[in-house]
Amino acid sequence: MILHGYWRSGASYRVRIALALKGVGYDLAAHDLRKGEQKTPDYLALNPQGMVPALQDGDRVLVQSPAILEWLEETHPAPPLLPSAPDDRAVVRAMCALIGCDIHPLNNLRVLKALRADFGADQAAIDAWAAGWIAPGFDALQALVARHGAGWCFGDAPTLADCYLIPQLYSARRFNMDLSPWPGLLAIEAQALDHPAFHAAHPDRQPDAD
């Protein structure tokens, strides 16, 4: 497999975590988003949206991290990253969507560039914008974790929800957020940092990292 990604991309980060948790090997094809390398003709031929990640498996090219993660769960079921009971799977998917739909898209690189170019936002305004979306999402997620977690977001083993959470915490620090109001989420992060799969997937440990 070839993972097309970028070291600091949150969506790429969540796929790296899942690949590592499942022990699936891959080669990395790095695309520096700051230089627009995701918009080259060769990459657009693979992913017409010109975004990362994309996972190439032979002639198959999968795009959009939620679809990639669900495909990995279906094709590489061990260890499972979704619970067995339908109600529990719905809870984990809701946690994933809380981050993947309601937080992450509003603080990704495309949005930040638009805020700077179209509205003249400086870094302080960017930080405030990001925090305005991250904070209420973390409030809701921490309440769900308190209800369903037992060391991880759901239960006592990593799930897809943790694949989403850890990159979003990393991103929040880039916006200079004080994360002390969410000790439940920080406790999960502390456990993840000691886990070899999360350790290997960390942005700072990627070959294309600054």
Side-chain angles (χ1 to χ4, degrees):
M1 291 187 191
I2 300 172
L3 177 62
H4 297 264
Y6 171 59
W7 66 282
R8 209 161 56 181
S9 156
S12 299
Y13 188 0
R14 65 179 72 134
V15 172
R16 291 197 305 267
I17 294 171
L19 287 165
L21 285 168
K22 290 183 175 292
V24 177
Y26 62 91
D27 294 325
L28 175 67
H31 305 271
D32 193 329
L33 304 188
R34 297 165 298 185
K35 299 177 181 178
E37 293 176 356
Q38 76 280 16
K39 300 296 185 182
T40 63
D42 286 347
Y43 186 64
L44 289 173
L46 292 174
N47 182 358
Q49 196 176 12
M51 297 176 67
V52 296
L55 186 64
Q56 194 172 0
D57 182 26
D59 295 333
R60 181 188 300 108
V61 179
L62 304 168
V63 300
Q64 287 290 345
S65 62
I68 294 171
L69 294 172
E70 291 279 354
W71 178 85
L72 281 170
E73 182 69 1
E74 293 174 3
T75 58
H76 298 78
L81 299 181
L82 284 171
S84 57
D87 290 356
D88 294 342
R89 294 164 78 90
V91 170
V92 171
R93 287 186 170 115
M95 291 178 173
C96 295
L98 192 157
I99 294 172
C101 299
D102 298 332
I103 299 178
H104 175 256
L106 290 159
N107 54 78
N108 68 18
L109 185 59
R110 291 188 306 162
V111 170
L112 303 185
K113 283 184 174 180
L115 289 172
R116 292 187 178 98
D118 299 341
F119 301 100
D122 60 12
Q123 190 58 51
I126 293 289
D127 290 350
W129 164 272
W133 302 105
I134 295 172
F138 279 180
D139 287 344
L141 185 60
Q142 182 162 258
L144 290 172
V145 168
R147 191 179 304 167
H148 299 287
W152 296 91
C153 283
F154 186 98
D156 60 0
T159 66
L160 290 181
D162 303 287
C163 297
Y164 279 77
L165 171 62
I166 300 307
Q168 192 59 62
L169 289 168
Y170 175 87
S171 178
R173 290 192 176 89
R174 291 178 55 206
F175 299 112
N176 302 303
M177 285 190 67
D178 173 15
L179 299 180
S180 61
W182 303 286
L185 305 185
L186 293 178
I188 295 169
E189 183 186 45
Q191 179 152 284
L193 292 177
D194 287 334
H195 192 293
F198 289 85
H199 181 86
H202 193 279
D204 294 349
R205 298 182 181 90
Q206 304 314 303
D208 59 323
D210 289 347

